[in-house]
Amino acid sequence: MKTLLHGMMLFILCLTLPSFANEESTQSDLAGQILAVLESDATQAIYLEDILRRKNTEHRKALSESIEAGVQTPEIKAQVSEQIYVLETLLVHSDKTAEQLLEAALTAEPDKKAVLFFEAQQRISAADTYTQQLAQTFKWADQLDIESDTSDFLTELNLRAKDLSELILFFDERNNGLAQLAKLTPADEVANVEKQQLVYTQMQNFMLISLNVTVGLLETYKQDVTEYKQLLFTLTGDINSGILDVNVAYGLLNQWLESFKDWAIENTPTIVMKLLVFCLIIWITRMVARGVAKLVRRSVTQAKLKFSILMQEFFISMASNAVTFVGILIALSQLGINLGPLLTGFGVAGVIIGFALQDTLSNFASGLMILIYRPFDVRDLVQVAGIKGNVSHMSLVSTTIRTLDNQTLVIPNNKIWGDVINNMTAERERRVDMVFGIGYQDNFEDAKAIINDILSEHKMILATPEPIVRVHTLNESSVDIAVRPWVKTDDYWDVYYDVTEQVKQQFDAKGITIPFPQRDVHIYKEES
């Protein structure tokens, strides 16, 4: 019954707001009646105030349309004056109620905090609405030449901005404290701490919105809001036109410098010590990696193992890199870096890089096959991928070939492994294949004897296997003699050039011709 009575009183009060100027009641009486209704039953105050706010908003809409249409009747002016008193009364009541709810929420049990904070948010939201409406009402008063004093309103705005900023900082500190508490709380109780932290975070965000509204109103009255803009930017990171203000930017810079100064004074000794330990570990790791590389090099270069140079370099590099990797991880841990997420990141990055570097991985796989099967080694004379030359360098990705005319070519390993590999220096001994032609009129036995003498006198030609000198082909213009001496692989080209030169000299000296293509042309004269 009491609740119904209050609702009816408020409804009647809302309907009669526009007509108060015509009654004998003063504006202070109007404010008193409103407070009397709102404070008569605290349990229904929020409900009653919501009804009054909606009714008054509807009334203000009609009032705004009249003012925009240029209506300046005494009744309109009286209603504008009444709005100032009504809004000031509602604003005071909302602020008072919000303050009471916040105090109750801070001391309430955890399960009741959320409800009380939610009700406080409603009162703060209502106060924001009243504040904006009051600022608009003072503008109407200026348009209608109604005498009004905004000094109290500006004072209240500044106090409101200050209170909101202090509340925001308070909730921020509580959030940080709860975040630290969550790290020390048992796993089964973390959910409760996170729930409280969520409530405080929501309140802080709501306060930031309210402060932003208040700062906007203060700016319209040319008030200094640099401090509040700095706070908004620091906590929200929202870059807007306010950050372009010179005072705001300068204040933020000073704030960051002071924070950095405090941080540096507090943490510099620890950081310097950690850096020294980090550098020491890296230096020790480097020394150990070099020592391990030398030991592995001694092991893999033993003649009994018969490792290829590529395999030797592979083992040496793997051992050295493994020691370096472990040392770097230990050094990073001394800086306070959590290695778990770092190693996980390396794993994810490895998968991504693997997809991006498929061709390189193909070369790497081919390099492993070359490493295992050893078809050639460094300094071997090979013909691979259509290129002939000496192997100057090998890696798991590519092979460097130096051609006989001293060009350096880098060939991907997948092109080498997927093609024919001709290793000309794989064996210690090699046969030199040469062919010399003599004329049909020359004595074959003499030419054969000359060649045998040259081969027997040459120091680089091996006696075993015995050189072969035989008729190879009866060509159109020459009798071709095949000469097949055996030499050491390193002497191949020396023997080839020496024997060719000496055969030419001896054939010329002994009158044996080396024919060239020729034809006999016979001309027959036919008598008529």
Side-chain angles (χ1 to χ4, degrees):
M1 186 69 181
K2 190 175 182 180
T3 302
L4 179 61
L5 178 61
H6 285 167
M8 294 177 62
M9 289 174 60
L10 187 58
F11 182 73
I12 295 171
L13 179 63
C14 293
L15 291 178
T16 57
L17 282 175
S19 62
F20 273 166
N22 298 326
E23 297 179 0
E24 296 179 357
S25 300
T26 63
Q27 294 167 338
S28 60
D29 292 337
L30 173 61
Q33 293 178 36
I34 294 173
L35 283 178
V37 172
L38 294 177
E39 295 179 354
S40 60
D41 188 350
T43 59
Q44 299 296 325
I46 295 177
Y47 170 71
L48 297 174
E49 185 184 347
D50 287 340
I51 296 176
L52 179 58
R53 185 173 68 252
R54 287 196 298 270
K55 291 292 183 180
N56 192 45
T57 300
E58 294 175 3
H59 169 60
R60 287 180 59 81
K61 183 178 180 181
L63 186 60
S64 176
E65 292 175 355
S66 299
I67 295 173
E68 289 178 359
V71 178
Q72 297 187 8
T73 62
E75 181 181 357
I76 294 295
K77 292 182 179 181
Q79 292 180 23
V80 170
S81 299
E82 289 171 357
Q83 279 293 307
I84 294 175
Y85 279 88
V86 170
L87 292 172
E88 286 179 343
T89 303
L90 293 173
L91 181 59
V92 170
H93 176 73
S94 293
D95 286 338
K96 181 180 178 181
T97 307
E99 183 179 355
Q100 293 173 349
L101 290 170
L102 286 174
E103 291 178 356
L106 293 175
T107 58
E109 297 296 328
D111 56 341
K112 296 182 179 180
K113 282 183 181 292
V115 176
L116 292 172
F117 275 135
F118 175 73
E119 293 179 356
Q121 288 179 11
Q122 288 184 311
R123 295 307 91 213
I124 295 172
S125 178
D128 291 338
T129 301
Y130 299 146
T131 303
Q132 291 173 313
Q133 291 179 349
L134 189 56
Q136 180 63 41
T137 305
F138 280 122
K139 290 183 180 180
W140 290 346
D142 290 339
Q143 294 179 16
L144 300 175
D145 295 327
I146 299 173
E147 185 177 353
S148 59
D149 185 8
T150 60
S151 59
D152 291 339
F153 177 63
L154 289 178
T155 302
E156 290 297 327
L157 277 180
N158 282 287
L159 288 174
R160 180 178 177 79
K162 183 178 180 181
D163 292 340
L164 286 171
S165 62
E166 290 178 352
L167 282 171
I168 289 170
L169 292 175
F170 168 76
F171 285 123
D172 187 59
E173 291 178 358
R174 292 301 297 266
N175 273 330
N176 294 334
L178 289 172
Q180 295 297 325
L181 180 61
K183 298 178 181 179
L184 306 175
T185 303
D188 57 342
E189 298 180 7
V190 171
N192 294 329
V193 178
E194 291 178 347
K195 184 178 180 181
Q196 294 184 49
Q197 188 177 5
L198 178 61
V199 172
Y200 283 115
T201 301
Q202 291 176 345
M203 281 301 301
Q204 179 182 342
N205 294 335
F206 192 84
M207 294 290 183
L208 287 169
I209 296 173
S210 183
L211 178 61
N212 193 38
V213 171
T214 306
V215 167
L217 292 175
L218 286 171
E219 280 189 304
T220 60
Y221 288 98
K222 308 300 182 182
Q223 300 292 301
D224 183 15
V225 293
T226 302
E227 179 183 353
Y228 306 124
K229 283 189 173 182
Q230 292 175 10
L231 178 62
L232 288 170
F233 177 76
T234 301
L235 294 180
T236 65
D238 184 19
I239 300 177
N240 48 36
S241 59
I243 194 63
L244 301 178
D245 185 270
V246 176
N247 293 329
V248 176
Y250 181 73
L252 286 172
L253 180 60
N254 285 336
Q255 181 180 349
W256 291 337
L257 289 176
E258 288 295 328
S259 299
F260 177 76
K261 179 181 177 181
D262 295 339
W263 176 85
I265 293 174
E266 181 179 354
N267 297 284
T268 296
T270 304
I271 292 175
V272 171
M273 182 58 65
K274 287 183 177 180
L275 288 176
L276 289 176
V277 173
F278 176 83
C279 295
L280 179 61
I281 293 175
I282 293 297
W283 180 79
I284 294 174
T285 300
R286 188 176 180 183
M287 296 296 103
V288 173
R290 288 182 179 179
V292 170
K294 290 180 180 179
L295 292 176
V296 175
R297 186 181 297 278
R298 289 182 184 178
S299 300
V300 299
T301 52
Q302 291 181 5
K304 294 180 179 179
L305 296 177
K306 296 182 180 179
F307 286 150
S308 65
I309 294 179
L310 176 59
M311 185 169 287
Q312 294 174 15
E313 294 297 330
F314 175 76
F315 285 132
I316 295 169
S317 177
M318 286 294 294
S320 177
N321 290 338
V323 173
T324 302
F325 181 72
V326 173
I328 290 175
L329 291 181
I330 295 173
L332 290 175
S333 67
Q334 298 303 310
L335 293 178
I337 297 175
N338 190 357
L339 299 181
L342 183 64
L343 294 176
T344 303
F346 283 153
V348 175
V351 174
I352 296 173
I353 293 173
F355 281 109
L357 302 178
Q358 295 183 21
D359 293 338
T360 302
L361 292 178
S362 175
N363 291 327
F364 184 82
S366 299
L368 286 177
M369 300 303 293
I370 295 173
L371 172 68
I372 295 171
Y373 289 100
R374 298 190 303 172
F376 56 84
D377 203 351
V378 176
R379 293 188 294 274
D380 284 352
L381 178 64
V382 298
Q383 183 168 354
V384 293
I387 298 170
K388 187 176 184 180
N390 293 295
V391 180
S392 63
H393 180 70
M394 297 173 65
S395 70
L396 291 176
V397 177
S398 63
T399 299
T400 303
I401 302 292
R402 181 164 293 172
T403 62
L404 299 178
D405 58 350
N406 206 30
Q407 297 184 53
T408 300
L409 303 177
V410 179
I411 308 173
N413 283 338
N414 62 349
K415 292 185 178 295
I416 295 175
W417 187 250
D419 201 352
V420 176
I421 299 174
N422 182 8
N423 189 344
M424 304 174 190
T425 55
E427 301 295 336
R428 294 183 179 180
E429 297 177 357
R430 188 177 174 189
R431 192 183 70 181
V432 182
D433 293 347
M434 295 174 287
V435 177
F436 301 104
I438 63 173
Y440 276 94
Q441 71 278 9
D442 295 321
N443 190 314
F444 170 73
E445 294 298 332
D446 291 344
K448 182 178 179 181
I450 292 172
I451 294 174
N452 282 325
D453 291 341
I454 293 173
L455 296 179
S456 61
E457 292 176 1
H458 201 291
K459 297 179 180 180
M460 295 182 182
I461 295 176
L462 302 176
T464 304
E466 185 179 354
I468 298 174
V469 180
R470 296 285 188 275
V471 174
H472 179 58
T473 307
L474 298 177
N475 273 332
E476 292 181 358
S477 303
S478 64
V479 177
D480 293 340
I481 303 174
V483 180
R484 305 286 187 261
W486 287 83
V487 299
K488 293 181 179 180
T489 301
D490 294 339
D491 299 333
Y492 179 91
W493 290 108
D494 291 336
V495 171
Y496 181 89
Y497 294 132
D498 289 348
V499 171
T500 302
E501 181 180 350
Q502 292 180 27
V503 167
K504 168 63 176 170
Q505 292 174 351
Q506 292 296 325
F507 278 7
D508 290 345
K510 299 298 177 62
I512 296 175
T513 59
I514 299 177
F516 49 86
Q518 56 185 328
R519 292 182 181 274
D520 291 336
V521 180
H522 301 273
I523 300 176
Y524 296 96
K525 184 176 181 182
E526 186 176 324
E527 295 181 359
S528 57

